[in-house]
Amino acid sequence: MPDTTALSAPSPVSHSRQGDLGRRLSTRREQLGLTHQEVAVRCRSAAGYISYLEEQPVTSPGIGFLITLANALETTVGN
């Protein structure tokens, strides 16, 4: 059963170095004890892109990738 910690696109305005998506992504990845590389393998992406998503305050991956990423992290995409 997916975790209730949903991933979602960041808000348009971010006041921290890490955006909302990045914070949620890194939190869930750490909860699962996964490395960037392990998440990348699960969603057929590059580890550098996973790091980028965690670190950049405003990123806008497509909904298809967000769904794949959420599945890799055993969660859902929030609205």
Side-chain angles (χ1 to χ4, degrees):
M1 184 165 141
D3 185 271
T4 57
T5 306
L7 298 178
S8 63
S11 61
V13 178
S14 177
H15 298 288
S16 67
R17 177 132 175 94
Q18 184 181 42
D20 187 54
L21 175 62
R23 180 187 53 77
R24 290 173 185 242
L25 172 55
S26 64
T27 297
R28 184 63 183 149
R29 181 181 58 75
E30 291 169 3
Q31 286 172 344
L32 295 173
L34 298 173
T35 65
H36 292 123
Q37 182 62 39
E38 290 167 328
V39 173
V41 168
R42 286 183 175 202
C43 61
R44 298 181 182 143
S45 182
Y49 186 57
I50 303 302
S51 297
Y52 170 82
L53 291 175
E54 286 187 13
E55 296 166 4
Q56 296 306 308
V58 179
T59 59
S60 298
I63 188 65
F65 186 76
L66 283 176
I67 291 169
T68 301
L69 183 58
N71 288 335
L73 295 172
E74 301 170 13
T75 189
T76 61
V77 176
N79 292 328

